[in-house]
Structures are given as structure tokens and as C-alpha cells.
Amino acid sequence: MELTLDGDVVRAGYEARERFYDSRGYGKVRNGDIDLSPVEAAHLLYRGDIESIDGMDFRAFLGSAAVSEVDFAVYKDLRDRGFYLTPAREGWVDDAAGADFVVYPRGKGPWDNEVAYRVRVIGERDTVDATALGGCVLAVVDEESEVTYLDTDRREVSGTSDAAVPATAGELLGERVVCWEPPAELYDQAFYGQQLGDDGAVQLSLVEAAYLAQEGLLTVDGGADAVVGRGREVEGDRFDRRLAVYTALRASGVAPKTGFKFGADFRTYADVESAENLGHSELLVRVLPADHRFEPRDLALDVRLAHGVRKTMVFALTADGGDGSGDSGNGNDLEWIAVERLTP
Amino acid sequence: MELTLDGDVVRAGYEARERFYDSRGYGKVRNGDIDLSPVEAAHLLYRGDIESIDGMDFRAFLGSAAVSEVDFAVYKDLRDRGFYLTPAREGWVDDAAGADFVVYPRGKGPWDNEVAYRVRVIGERDTVDATALGGCVLAVVDEESEVTYLDTDRREVSGTSDAAVPATAGELLGERVVCWEPPAELYDQAFYGQQLGDDGAVQLSLVEAAYLAQEGLLTVDGGADAVVGRGREVEGDRFDRRLAVYTALRASGVAPKTGFKFGADFRTYADVESAENLGHSELLVRVLPADHRFEPRDLALDVRLAHGVRKTMVFALTADGGDGSGDSGNGNDLEWIAVERLTP
């Protein structure tokens, strides 16, 4: 079969429609005939189902400007995995925005009105807006043309870690606050800080101390402002973003602790009853300004690490860039995006 | 016991020398008496072995400018782990440069002339020069005052992956080169590229293709320059650095493949006999300009991930920043620094 490229569509007739759409889910029906996108036509060429397009064989067509190699790599990979899928073009699928392919559940096709994944294709060297994530699967084509799938999802964070803590006093020492005689609940039940030794003293991180001081649970020379000021000195704007996220996590009943060993801002415990019986931490949280653009490689690194330690990677996007204007911390201006590896 | 701070040294007499140096390895002997560094004196205060320094108790002394909380956290942690250690001051230890503490093997002390670790202390928010790594243990104190130890070591890379490959032709397509009819050795024995399908075609990454073209093993329109040019278009200077490292790895008998899934530049196979029987890849390589400054958190992330997948993280520093001046690639201007987690 020899077909013709018309703009960005390969036109084919009734016979092609029967062979390619009706039985295998390629293309878009138009007036009883079929339109194929170039990537679909390339796949049919690759399989030998059609011989040429405008005289071009697979090799020539893939080398032409009509087909993106990156799209082809993902299209082929998903077909190899047994899926039918449709290019997310306006008029071809519902809600085309933000996706490159709409993938149907295995055994289903474009005629079934069920969607398994909305896939967005990027090359390893492209960047992707943080706000574009959520509700789609990123298919990242690496330099060797292998595809890594990352499922992205907007989500809520919640837990039952909400032990009450009596107020206490602390002393700001460099980049930490030491509570020399804290109530036992501070560390034992609510899991703030670390024990300095055996005598009960607890050292708080600056973000923990700033939160407790803002909540009226910690008195320190200069008040919360002194702690926040020290935080900004050593971390800049990032401190405000981290404090906003820390506050939102605590407000959601989740106990955040440093994620340093995992290269993250926080790890979180949803159901702390005591510091002695912590259980497993569920999330790794990385705090980012909402205008962040991800390098796919950094995403792959974070998500792979989280998977390896049986946690879920969550990116906390602070909408206002964490300007410390005072309304941060209510969590309303935060977005949580969970990203996990997916094997379709 | 009440001692006195004299500049940056706490002076003590013969009795203190017997109690603290002779039996427990604190301080530096001077004329039969003993000098203690402030961090050592703080630890003795913390333990209750001395009562005060210039009238200050532990709490006051730790809060004074004399003691770094970060140094104290590491000093205490190593003492808690059963080590004797000496501040790396000029005149106190041999080769003080580049270290903060010299740590003796367990059961040994400053009188034994044996060193287990040379430790460099940094806070989570400090950065560290890439060239300062190698031959020391980084002790990173995180915001919650927990200590993570990272052993850094200059090393060589070598292997036996050196299968010969007949020359072949390729076609530059976007960010890859496709060899439509390659010799079987290209992929099967030497493990270049990925198979495009079942018909034998192999797609090479730009860095693989540039290397093969420079070695005279790949002909492509425009030659090696066309491939390198495409690489620079999509990666900038980073492409030259990666090509220099790729070339040095191949020259060392190691087969590099993309490290994308691990967030690295390459993973490497030291002893490839065939693509079918690859075995485990040993190293993750991240390519960096030699003037790179590490954020400790990024280091922790890379090293933790590598550990989780049973690989060693190696940073390849390109001395000239990879300017593509033509002498890159002989490996002489590269430094390899392996970083691994350490539990002292």
C-alpha cells in the first residue's frame, strides 16, 4: 500500500480503515476513510503493513521532518507492550491538551471510550514545567532511545501525627535551636528535633524551631523572627519555601523530618505515636518554586531513589515562590505532585 | 576541674594530661602539660569530666564563639562510636591540610602513629570544591545535626571490554545516529547502541557515534564534526565533557552506557563479552567540570542511589572544562573520584 502525506496527516481510504483502524486502532476515522498521523504511518511502514508514503520507505520517512524520532520511540514501545494508542490531536481525542498520546487499557481501543494513560513525550534533554505535571504520564526518551515512564499525580497529604506539645524555651545556636529542658512530649511523642545526649536536651532544626515559635510553642530570644531571620541568612528564599511546606505538612497531620540522607528536603511520617516506634516514612518531599523547570534526569534520579527506599517522591510547589508574606503555611497556595515509576 | 581558654587553645596541666591525653587521647602534649582544642574541651565539659572553662559550663561554652556546633556534632559522634581523634591543627598532626580531624583506628590513639580516617567536616548548607575530594572522609552535619559520612577516593577505572568492531556507516537523525546495516559485533560484542527492531538496525547515542566516528569506525555525512556539532547544539559544553569521559572510559576497557535511569551520565560495564550476557554494571559516572562545587545534598543523593543499586558513584572531573580542544579524551586531564557511604 502506498499512501500520501497531506500536511501533517497521512490520508488513506476505506480499505486502510478496515485493516488499521477497525482491527488495530490506528488513526482517526473521517467520513468513512481514515487519517493517520505521521507517527502511526511510520509504525505501519516499520511493520511492513504499508510500503511507502509519497515514495518514502521507513528509513526515508523516519529521516524526514514529518516524524519525530522521540514520538516514534514511545509509540513503538507502547505498541510493543500491547497497547493501542491515539495521538492527542485536537478533534482526535477528548482533552488533547497536555498530552501527546492517549493510551487505552490493554485489549481496548479508540472505540471503547476508556483511557489508561495520558502520555506526554519528552526527550532526555528537554525540560518540563513543574506545573505541567500531574494527571499525565511522562515518557522520557533517553539518549539511547530507551523510554522511562513516570506517572505524575496531584495529591493531598494527610496523617494522624498530631500529638500536643506544651510550650518550651530554646536557645538559638548557629544553625539550630537547643531546648535545654524541653517537655518529654517534644521529642518522644511529637517527634520534633533530636536528643543532644542523655540528659533530655533536644536540638531543633531551624525550620522546626521557626514553626514551633510561630505556633507559640517555643520561646526564643528575638522570637520567631530571629529564627526565620537566621534561616534566611543561611538558605535565602529557600528557607521560606521550606517553612511553608513544613507548616502545611504539620497542619495535615504528618511529621516531617530532614530528607538529607535521601537528597530531599523532608521525609514524612503519617502516623507517629512515639519517636521510639516510628514505623516507616512514606514520602520524600522536595520543595520547589512553582516556576521550576525539571531536567528529566533529575526527576529520574529522585524517583528512582524514592522507589529504592520504598517511599513516594512528592514535589511541593510553592505558588508564590515563598516570599514569606505571612499567608504561606496555610497550605492553600501549595501543590503536591507525586511522581512514581510506571511500567505500563 | 576549671580550665582557661587562651586564644584558640584550652591550657591544662600535668594532671589533666594524665587523665585526658594518656588514658583517652584528648589534646596535644606540650612540655609535659596538655593543650586541648575548644571542641575537645567542650566534649569533656559535656561528659562532666571538667566543670567549667573560664567560668562557662557546657551550655555556655557551646553557645560561645569558641566552639563550632558542627565540629562538636562530628567530634561527639566519632567518640560515641568508640574512636579517639585529634583536631587536624598544624603542629598537632602530620599533614593537617584538607582535614578537620584525624581519626585513629578503634583501640588506637594519637601515640600509635596509625590513621583510620582523615575527616573533613561540613554543614549541609556548605558547598565543597570537587577538587578537595579524594583521600578524605566528608562528615556532613545535616540540619538535624545527624552526621553522614562519605568516603572519597581518587581512583583509576579499568576493564577488559575491548571487542574490536569493523567500521560501518550511519545516518544522523535528530539526536541519534542510526546504523541501518551494522556489523553484528557493533552491538552484540562491543555493546554500542540499541537495536531498533528485529532487522539488525542499531541506533547510537550522539556520544557513542561521535566516539566511533573519531576512532574512524563510523562514517556519517559530515564526519565526526557533524555529530559533535549536533551534540553541542543540544547539550552545549557538557557534550564535550561527556565525550572526553566516554572516550577515556572506552580507552580503559570499560563499556559506558547511559546512566539516565539512575540520574547519572553513564553506567559502566568492566568486562563485557556480549550484550546478551552483560552482568552487573559496576559504576555510575557523573561528568563534571573540575571547578564544580558540590552541594552536600546532591552528593548524598547520588551516593545513596548508587549504593541502593549496588554500584559505586564516580565523579569524572574534566580539568579543562571540556573545551573540545582536541587533547581531551586521552584521559590524562581527567580525575576520577569515587564516593561511597561509610559507617565508621
Side-chain angles (χ1 to χ4, degrees), chain A residues 45-244:
Chain A
L45 278 173
Y46 166 76
R47 288 175 46 90
D49 289 322
I50 54 182
E51 284 79 50
S52 65
I53 294 168
D54 285 345
M56 290 181 277
D57 62 4
F58 170 64
R59 185 171 156 173
F61 193 59
L62 189 66
S64 77
V67 185
S68 143
E69 293 86 17
V70 174
D71 286 351
F72 180 76
V74 174
Y75 189 90
K76 174 177 180 297
D77 188 68
L78 286 165
R79 281 269 170 191
D80 287 349
R81 290 170 187 271
F83 291 96
Y84 290 178
L85 64 163
T86 300
R89 298 177 156 210
E90 284 301 334
W92 286 41
V93 298
D94 297 337
D95 194 14
D100 294 296
F101 295 117
V102 167
V103 183
Y104 308 106
R106 270 202 192 79
K108 305 276 184 179
W111 44 79
D112 282 312
N113 223 7
E114 269 184 65
V115 172
Y117 310 113
R118 294 167 45 76
V119 171
R120 187 185 171 103
V121 176
I122 57 172
E124 166 179 356
R125 298 173 179 109
D126 303 330
T127 58
V128 58
D129 276 336
T131 48
L133 301 186
C136 70
V137 171
L138 275 187
V140 186
V141 181
D142 68 28
E143 60 177 333
E144 291 176 1
S145 304
E146 287 223 23
V147 187
T148 298
Y149 296 93
L150 300 172
D151 196 7
T152 73
D153 214 7
R154 283 173 196 258
R155 56 171 287 173
E156 296 305 310
V157 173
S158 67
T160 63
S161 304
D162 53 3
V165 185
T168 188
E171 182 182 351
L172 185 55
L173 282 186
E175 301 184 15
R176 49 200 50 75
V177 168
V178 181
C179 300
W180 295 103
E181 290 164 349
E185 292 90 335
L186 183 71
Y187 176 78
D188 294 348
Q189 270 86 60
F191 201 32
Y192 290 98
Q194 289 288 336
Q195 290 175 305
L196 181 56
D198 305 327
D199 67 346
V202 165
Q203 40 191 339
L204 301 168
S205 71
L206 288 175
V207 73
E208 289 174 321
Y211 168 74
L212 287 168
Q214 287 182 344
E215 293 288 304
L217 298 172
L218 177 73
T219 54
V220 59
D221 271 0
D225 287 351
V227 183
V228 171
R230 183 67 52 84
R232 288 178 187 159
E233 265 172 48
V234 296
E235 280 187 7
D237 288 350
R238 192 171 152 245
F239 187 78
D240 289 292
R241 288 196 293 273
R242 295 177 74 238
L243 178 56

